[in-house]
Amino acid sequence: MLQAFRGAWRLVPGQALLHCGADDEHLVFNNLSGDTHLLDTPAMKVLRALQAGPLTPADLHGLCGETDEPEDIDALLAELQHLMLVQPA
């Protein structure tokens, strides 16, 4: 298993983070790839937090809920990176 990146993460430069949603469903348009993704609230919270600037997984801990574990943040960041929405800073 690969070691999770522990440094800071950021939105992919140029990402406008166009989104709309309600409850636990959020549509996010990736203006760089042209793809639209259906994300849950924890993923949207992470993306919104990264709009302000780069953050480490430790900075993001607790953002997804009181019971989130560091592995949860790592998995979420890996998924958002796969969707080309975030990248290591």
Side-chain angles (χ1 to χ4, degrees):
M1 185 169 146
L2 293 174
Q3 181 72 19
F5 179 72
R6 304 311 302 167
W9 289 82
R10 66 178 181 180
L11 292 181
V12 171
Q15 179 56 252
L17 201 59
L18 304 170
H19 65 278
C20 66
D23 298 322
D24 195 37
E25 294 183 338
H26 303 270
L27 287 175
V28 176
F29 177 69
N30 183 333
N31 60 297
L32 301 175
S33 69
D35 295 330
T36 300
H37 308 287
L38 180 62
L39 302 179
D40 60 11
T41 297
M44 201 65 229
K45 285 181 179 181
V46 167
L47 290 175
R48 286 184 185 146
L50 292 174
Q51 276 185 300
L55 296 169
T56 66
D59 295 330
L60 296 167
H61 183 75
L63 195 62
C64 298
E66 294 179 14
T67 60
D68 69 339
E69 297 294 327
E71 298 81 19
D72 297 336
I73 296 294
D74 293 338
L76 180 54
L77 288 167
E79 178 61 25
L80 294 173
Q81 183 180 28
H82 177 75
L83 297 176
M84 296 182 291
L85 296 169
V86 302
Q87 67 184 28

